[in-house]
Amino acid sequence: MLRLTRFSLLGWRPPAARIPAKNLGLRKAASGVSPSGSASPRALNIFDRDLKRKQKNWAARQPEPMKFDYLKDEVGSRIADRVYDIARNFPLALDVGCGRGYIAQHLNKETVGKFFQADIAENALKNTLEMEIPTVSVLADEEFLPFRENTFDLVVSSLSLHWVNDLPRALEQDTDEIQVNYPGMFELMEDLQGMGESNCAWNRKALLHRDTMLAAAAVYGEMYRNEDGSIPATYQIYYMIGWKYHESQARPAERGSATVSFGELGKINNLMSQGKKSQ
């Protein structure tokens, strides 16, 4: 089965889930800008960031960009759910590689006071979705964010960091999977292009011959075809979460301050049962 790895900033693995198909047709779901070609000195220069900007701008200019938003909407919703799980509000938040605002549309002003949305594609920022919270659009490359340290109370990102050259190994943690069933390989490729997710690696092949594409589609269908004739593609979503400490949140006790050992915890149920019997 084809596995497409996508990164989202935010963190732990939820129980495996299958998302319902919604308006997908046969695509059914089951489970400051940097100078051209520049990168930080310590980063591997694998991806053409200028090409990625052009791809995302092209996708945002299409007459019906929402036709390809199903995956980004779903992941944006899952990230928002994780934000709601944190027992506090965030006066100032940042979405790195926001696209059309796939996370912000699922948040409310009781949770986030103001949301900065940064993206490398100006057309995506001009075509943002409706949202309740006040937002500020910032044209910026994920690798060269124009913000001072310690500015934001919360930082999130959805389906953007997998095209970043300077990606820390720390992102390689627990993963979420979303399976989408497509009519065929060409429909999968069409949707990736419509999402602005076409390959932008420097070593990509400029052109694949039609015979090669047809042969690949035939082999893929032969190996992985579902009973209904569709072919599955699994998107691997990596999450991690980080937020600034707030006084309203409980702090962990100092190491060595515990008054009960883990060995005694097993006795709690017996003590509680005895207490109930004596009442």
Side-chain angles (χ1 to χ4, degrees), residues 5 7 28 83 96-97 135 137 151 161 175 180 187 201 208 214 216 232 237 241-242 247 255:
T5 302
F7 286 102
K28 295 184 179 179
V83 174
V96 180
T135 60
S137 296
T151 298
L161 299 182
T175 175
V180 180
E187 287 78 9
L208 289 176
L214 291 173
I237 314 298
I241 186 167
E247 293 180 355
R255 186 178 179 86

Side-chain angles (χ1 to χ4, degrees), residues 24-42:
L24 301 185
L26 290 179
R27 299 160 173 80
K28 295 184 179 179
S31 175
V33 179
S34 64
S36 176
S38 63
S40 62
R42 63 188 178 87

Side-chain angles (χ1 to χ4, degrees), residues 112-212:
V112 176
K114 179 179 286 189
F115 211 38
F116 276 68
Q117 299 196 114
D119 199 275
I120 195 174
E122 58 269 24
N123 289 332
L125 295 174
K126 294 176 182 177
N127 196 21
T128 54
L129 301 162
E130 291 186 7
M131 54 201 70
E132 177 182 325
I133 55 180
T135 60
V136 177
S137 296
V138 180
L139 182 64
D141 191 322
E142 293 94 328
E143 293 185 350
F144 302 91
L145 293 174
F147 305 110
R148 292 181 179 178
E149 185 178 351
N150 204 32
T151 298
F152 298 99
D153 305 291
L154 173 74
V155 178
V156 295
S157 183
S158 179
L159 303 183
S160 176
L161 299 182
H162 52 284
W163 293 122
V164 171
N165 285 300
D166 192 7
L167 187 66
R169 293 181 181 178
L171 288 179
E172 297 178 359
Q173 301 179 36
D174 319 343
T175 175
D176 194 5
E177 293 187 348
I178 299 176
Q179 180 178 307
V180 180
N181 297 322
Y182 293 90
M185 189 185 79
F186 293 105
E187 287 78 9
L188 166 60
M189 295 177 65
E190 176 191 2
D191 280 17
L192 289 174
Q193 183 182 33
M195 296 177 193
E197 293 296 316
S198 301
N199 187 12
C200 71
W202 287 108
N203 63 352
R204 70 191 181 281
K205 291 187 177 180
L207 179 65
L208 289 176
H209 293 290
R210 178 177 175 81
D211 290 344
T212 302

Side-chain angles (χ1 to χ4, degrees), residues 60-79:
R61 284 198 304 268
Q62 299 312 297
E64 297 180 285
M66 65 289 299
K67 175 182 177 182
F68 305 100
D69 281 351
Y70 56 90
L71 182 65
K72 295 184 178 182
D73 279 340
E74 177 64 26
V75 177
S77 174
R78 294 187 184 196
I79 292 176

